[in-house]
Amino acid sequence: MPAPDMVGGQLSGSRCAIEGVSIKGLFALLVLSLLLPSGATTSSKSVTCHKICLCASNIVSCSKMNLTGIPMTFPRYTAVLDLSFNQISKLKAEWTPVKLSMLHSLLLSHNGLTFLSSEAFLYVTRLRYLDLSSNGLKILEEFIFEPLEHLEVLLLYNNHISQIDRTAFSSLNSLQKLYLSQNQIQRFPLELVKERNRLEKLTLLDVSTNRLKLLPIQELQVLPAWIKNGLYFHNNPLPCSCELYSMLARWHRQELSSATDFRDDHTCLLPGTQKEKALTLELNKVHLNCSAVTILDEEAYLEQFIRLGCDTRQRFMLKSWVLPGNVQLSSGNQSSRVLSDGSLQVGPITLEDSGIYTCYAVGESFNETLYVTVLVHNATQAGGQEGMKTAYTTLVGCLASAMMVLIYLYLTPCRCICCPGQGLDKRAPGDSLHSSILSVSPTHEDTGPEGGGGGGCAFDKPPFNRHIAYLDPKGLLEQNGRLSPCGEEDEEWQEEDRGRQEQRRKSDAESLSSVCSDTPIVV
């Protein structure tokens, strides 16, 4: 058994060892606590949340904090971030260094934003609501919103936007509402709503209060009613025209919200230097005297197939049809069936298919009832075309007959030179002059050789009941080389001893040439 002094010495030594270890541990913990930052022990909270912004669960509000830049860190669980009413002029690519995968709403209105980086939205790809309204944006460059494939609402109103690249919104396949009002846009973005290029889910496009001077009216008229219902273009400097009135009046009759909600804001500029404004829906009363708009009924012919559309103001409505006479459409009906898009196909058409067809549409927010009147003509469409062909054939026949009559009256098909026994002697000295004088026709209707006409052909008879005397081409030349006007030559012209009679005959011939040369004598 050890001595008491030894035991007491061991106990005292062990006590000192324990006290030394505890002192070193406490010192180490004290140094470590001083080296660590004050917020490292709470990893679930951001150091900026309670100092600069207000936090409520997953909502972070930094509104009206006079911020000139965006705080560098936000909690990863942030779902709504409000940075509105500050002085943030640029949205750079590194405005958030961490990916905010839970962020679905970003508010940046009333900041004086003039610059958007092409990489500003790389870390917030799950955004569904983006508010960039009431800023100083002027240009929307190509593919600026490309990462935001889940974006549903985009607010860009009250900026200074004058240039929009055609591909700026091309990747926003989930976009439903786009607000571009109160800007300086001069071109209507038709690519957003036109078939084949439009955003499939877009139901609202607001381009009101801009500088639009032209609307693609023909393209807008063929759009579905659910697109036209949310297409706002009021308060633009559009020129007044009956075409614009007709389109807007049809929209108003269909009770489309874009026409009825802003009826008094749909104005246009009248022709003239003063550019006076007028209400578009009153152009048929005061200014341009446009004709009143009526919705035309569907017209059909027998044995034809027609397609009746149920053009509702809301998309994806449940549609059902009732036939004329309040007859319910059944599966056993062979002439009428509902297609996949809700339209009704009727055919082959019979006279019993005339009447009013009713379409009942049921939607989430409201229901609609549309009526389509069908008028069936008691003829086939091919029969109508045959009637037109018959009319054209008759007209062509009449024109051909008139041409034949004119040819018969004014173009002689047989000249005397082609008749037997009437050919001129080619050796005759006056044969070359035959084209410049008139041929001789008998003064009597007898055309035989004894009738004085020399056996002329039947076509030489005058078409009217008149007697016409023509000059005989025999003896065309006188001794002095002049033509004999009446074609008569007497033997006394060759006798030199009868001078007085020769002079008298020559004077008679000269006087006669001024009367009957190149002119038939009617007797």
Side-chain angles (χ1 to χ4, degrees):
M1 185 175 184
D5 295 338
M6 185 178 293
V7 173
Q10 291 177 353
L11 292 173
S12 61
S14 60
R15 186 182 298 112
C16 292
I18 293 173
E19 291 178 356
V21 171
S22 61
I23 293 173
K24 291 180 180 179
L26 291 174
F27 181 76
L29 290 175
L30 180 61
V31 173
L32 183 61
S33 63
L34 293 175
L35 292 175
L36 290 175
S38 60
T41 57
T42 56
S43 60
S44 61
K45 294 183 179 180
S46 175
V47 296
T48 61
C49 187
H50 296 288
K51 292 181 179 180
I52 301 177
C53 304
L54 299 177
C55 300
S57 183
N58 58 357
I59 300 175
V60 179
S61 176
C62 305
S63 179
K64 298 181 180 180
M65 295 294 180
N66 295 322
L67 299 177
T68 57
I70 298 178
M72 295 299 294
T73 56
F74 291 101
R76 294 180 182 271
Y77 56 79
T78 303
V80 178
L81 179 58
D82 186 1
L83 296 169
S84 60
F85 292 94
N86 283 291
Q87 300 176 16
I88 304 171
S89 60
K90 296 181 179 180
L91 189 63
K92 301 179 181 180
E94 63 275 7
W95 71 272
T96 172
V98 296
K99 186 175 182 179
L100 303 177
S101 58
M102 304 295 292
L103 187 65
H104 61 74
S105 299
L106 177 60
L107 289 74
L108 285 165
S109 63
H110 297 89
N111 267 287
L113 272 174
T114 58
F115 173 76
L116 289 178
S117 173
S118 59
E119 300 178 353
F121 306 106
L122 287 179
Y123 286 172
V124 289
T125 58
R126 306 294 297 183
L127 277 181
R128 298 198 305 269
Y129 183 93
L130 177 59
D131 186 1
L132 296 172
S133 62
S134 300
N135 282 294
L137 299 176
K138 296 181 180 180
I139 301 175
L140 297 180
E141 298 179 354
E142 57 180 356
F143 302 109
I144 187 66
F145 303 109
E146 184 179 14
L148 304 178
E149 58 182 8
H150 301 284
L151 191 64
E152 298 177 359
V153 180
L154 178 57
L155 282 68
L156 289 166
Y157 64 86
N158 194 24
N159 276 275
H160 304 287
I161 300 173
S162 60
Q163 298 181 18
I164 301 178
D165 190 89
R166 293 180 181 272
T167 61
F169 310 106
S170 60
S171 59
L172 302 179
N173 297 324
S174 301
L175 191 64
Q176 300 176 13
K177 299 180 180 180
L178 176 58
Y179 297 86
L180 291 168
S181 62
Q182 301 180 50
N183 280 285
Q184 301 176 11
I185 302 173
Q186 299 183 10
R187 183 188 67 87
F188 183 85
L190 182 62
E191 64 274 4
L192 299 179
V193 295
K194 190 177 181 180
E195 190 70 30
R196 298 181 182 179
N197 299 318
R198 72 183 181 205
L199 302 178
E200 289 297 328
K201 295 185 179 180
L202 188 66
T203 59
L204 188 147
L205 175 61
D206 187 359
V207 291
S208 61
T209 317
N210 274 279
R211 297 183 179 180
L212 299 179
K213 296 182 180 180
L214 181 65
L215 279 182
I217 295 179
Q218 298 297 331
E219 288 80 1
L220 296 182
Q221 285 181 335
V222 299
L223 293 177
W226 61 268
I227 292 182
K228 295 185 290 188
N229 187 61
L231 186 57
Y232 297 89
F233 58 87
H234 55 274
N235 199 19
N236 274 287
L238 298 170
C240 294
S241 66
C242 290
E243 190 177 16
L244 176 63
Y245 160 78
S246 177
M247 183 187 71
L248 192 60
R250 288 177 180 273
W251 292 17
H252 194 270
R253 287 177 62 92
Q254 292 179 277
E255 298 183 355
L256 301 181
S257 299
S258 56
T260 58
D261 295 350
F262 296 91
R263 187 184 188 279
D264 296 334
D265 293 324
H266 279 285
T267 59
C268 57
L269 300 180
L270 293 171
T273 58
Q274 297 181 354
K275 301 297 181 180
E276 182 182 355
K277 284 187 177 181
L279 288 176
T280 306
L281 290 175
E282 294 184 358
L283 293 177
N284 63 324
K285 300 177 181 179
V286 180
H287 303 285
L288 299 184
N289 195 23
C290 300
S291 58
V293 172
T294 57
I295 299 179
L296 299 178
D297 298 331
E298 294 286 340
E299 295 185 358
Y301 295 88
L302 297 177
E303 302 179 1
Q304 185 184 5
F305 285 84
I306 61 173
R307 184 175 178 177
L308 306 180
C310 188
D311 199 7
T312 57
R313 292 176 291 166
Q314 185 178 349
R315 199 178 186 185
F316 303 123
M317 301 185 75
L318 182 61
K319 303 173 183 178
S320 60
W321 287 86
V322 175
L323 304 181
N326 200 22
V327 177
Q328 297 293 328
L329 183 62
S330 61
S331 58
N333 194 315
Q334 301 296 329
S335 61
S336 302
R337 65 187 184 94
V338 180
L339 302 180
S340 59
D341 59 351
S343 60
L344 180 67
Q345 179 177 298
V346 184
I349 292 292
T350 61
L351 290 177
E352 289 75 15
D353 293 324
S354 294
I356 300 176
Y357 292 77
T358 307
C359 175
Y360 295 102
V362 180
E364 296 180 356
S365 56
F366 58 87
N367 301 332
E368 288 187 69
T369 303
L370 302 179
Y371 301 96
V372 181
T373 303
V374 176
L375 176 62
V376 179
H377 296 282
N378 191 13
T380 60
Q381 191 173 16
Q385 294 177 354
E386 290 296 332
M388 293 297 295
K389 292 180 180 179
T390 303
Y392 281 119
T393 304
T394 304
L395 179 61
V396 171
C398 293
L399 293 176
S401 300
M403 291 298 297
M404 293 298 295
V405 171
L406 293 175
I407 292 174
Y408 177 78
L409 290 178
Y410 295 99
L411 299 179
T412 304
C414 179
R415 300 179 182 275
C416 287
I417 193 173
C418 69
C419 298
Q422 295 299 320
L424 294 175
D425 189 2
K426 295 182 179 181
R427 295 171 297 177
D431 188 31
S432 60
L433 300 175
H434 177 68
S435 59
S436 61
I437 64 172
L438 297 175
S439 60
V440 177
S441 179
T443 58
H444 301 283
E445 294 182 1
D446 189 5
T447 58
E450 296 178 357
C457 66
F459 291 102
D460 289 335
K461 293 182 179 181
F464 305 103
N465 189 15
R466 295 178 182 177
H467 299 283
I468 303 176
Y470 292 88
L471 301 181
D472 193 347
K474 294 186 298 180
L476 299 175
L477 297 177
E478 295 181 359
Q479 291 180 358
N480 57 359
R482 293 190 306 167
L483 291 174
S484 178
C486 292
E488 295 181 358
E489 191 175 78
D490 199 344
E491 294 179 355
E492 295 178 357
W493 289 94
Q494 299 177 1
E495 297 178 359
E496 297 179 357
D497 55 341
R498 296 181 181 180
R500 184 178 299 176
Q501 295 181 1
E502 182 177 0
Q503 294 178 357
R504 185 178 59 183
R505 287 183 179 273
K506 287 183 179 181
S507 61
D508 293 342
E510 291 175 355
S511 61
L512 184 60
S513 64
S514 62
V515 175
C516 64
S517 67
D518 297 336
T519 305
I521 301 176
V522 180
V523 294

